[in-house]
């Protein structure tokens, strides 16, 4: 696997700039991600994360040679996407789990598609063979995004998460690169 591209990728769609994340993005990422933790079941994380924790996560992902990218509009973060190892055993080294979160004000503007397409291309360039999207269900917006980009549902786990006093399902969507 090779490291993610260092040069920003420009898009003419509403001046979206997609670029590699760095530690200076941690504060903006926390502002996007923590409301998903505290207000939704989209993530199964239950405690808000700190800026230092996000810096640690960015460094870990990038040390593995996987991409963590940010989408920026007018100097502010519209969202971010990254990939992690899907499983730790070495035979899984060509499979990655993808993650994407958008600022709530950026949803529905096409930024998620552009960000995710860029992540997928960087994973392809890094030699990844399969990408797994893990979706807490129900989440029709995420399901639609994944399927629009060619992901296929390959698994459905019933009541594997528990948040806000209720059991939650998880689905796996897979994209072969």
């Amino acid at each position: 696997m090779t490291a993610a591209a260092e040069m920003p990728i420009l898009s003419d769609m509403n001046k979206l700039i997609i670029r590699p994340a760095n530690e200076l993005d941690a504060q903006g990422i926390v502002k996007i991600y923590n409301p998903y933790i505290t207000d939704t079941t989209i993530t199964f994380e239950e405690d808000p994360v700190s800026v230092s924790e996000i810096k640690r996560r960015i460094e870990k992902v990038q040390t593995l040679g996987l991409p963590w990218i940010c989408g920026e509009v007018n100097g502010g973060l519209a969202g971010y996407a990254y990939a992690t190892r899907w499983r730790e055993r070495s035979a899984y080294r060509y499979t990655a789990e993808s993650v994407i979160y958008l600022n709530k004000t950026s949803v529905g503007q096409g930024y998620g598609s552009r960000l995710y397409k860029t992540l997928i291309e960087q994973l392809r360039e890094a030699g990844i063979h399969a990408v797994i999207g893990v979706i807490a269900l129900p989440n029709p917006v995420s399901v639609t995004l994944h399927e629009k980009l060619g992901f296929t549902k390959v698994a459905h786990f019933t009541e594997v998460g528990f948040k806000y006093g209720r059991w939650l399902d998880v689905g796996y969507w897979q994209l072969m690169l």
Side-chain angles (χ1 to χ4, degrees):
M1 290 185 272
T2 60
E6 294 300 318
M7 296 299 296
I9 300 163
L10 300 177
S11 168
D12 58 2
M13 181 190 297
N14 300 319
K15 300 182 185 185
L16 178 68
I17 298 171
I18 299 175
R19 58 171 177 72
N22 62 61
E23 70 175 25
L24 298 176
D25 294 312
Q27 181 67 44
I29 290 168
V30 163
K31 287 180 181 176
I32 291 171
Y33 185 51
N34 278 342
Y36 285 98
I37 295 171
T38 59
D39 303 337
T40 78
T41 56
I42 289 173
T43 177
F44 283 7
E45 206 152 0
E46 296 182 288
D47 297 316
V49 294
S50 66
V51 170
S52 61
E53 174 59 17
I54 292 297
K55 287 179 183 179
R56 185 195 68 73
R57 292 178 187 187
I58 292 170
E59 181 180 357
K60 181 179 178 184
V61 164
Q62 292 174 339
T63 298
L64 291 171
L66 294 169
W68 187 313
I69 57 177
C70 290
E72 188 178 301
V73 176
N74 299 323
L77 283 185
Y80 63 95
Y82 65 94
T84 61
R85 295 181 75 176
W86 184 58
R87 294 283 184 258
E88 290 300 315
R89 300 221 188 330
S90 64
Y92 291 118
R93 69 188 171 277
Y94 297 107
T95 302
E97 181 178 332
S98 57
V99 177
I100 183 166
Y101 285 95
L102 293 179
N103 183 322
K104 301 250 177 160
T105 62
S106 298
V107 173
Q109 298 183 48
Y111 301 147
S113 294
R114 282 289 299 142
L115 201 52
Y116 218 157
K117 285 178 185 177
T118 301
L119 180 73
I120 290 166
E121 186 54 38
Q122 289 185 6
L123 289 171
R124 183 178 284 113
E125 290 170 5
I128 296 299
H129 177 69
V131 183
I132 308 294
V134 180
I135 304 174
L137 300 171
N139 187 340
V141 172
S142 188
V143 169
T144 299
L145 174 62
H146 282 83
E147 291 179 353
K148 176 175 132 181
L149 296 175
F151 285 75
T152 303
K153 187 174 184 180
V154 294
H156 187 117
F157 300 99
T158 303
E159 297 183 358
V160 293
F162 189 81
K163 188 173 178 181
Y164 299 134
R166 65 184 178 129
W167 290 105
L168 300 163
D169 294 0
V170 169
Y172 278 28
W173 273 256
Q174 182 177 13
L175 177 66
M176 302 306 296
L177 303 181

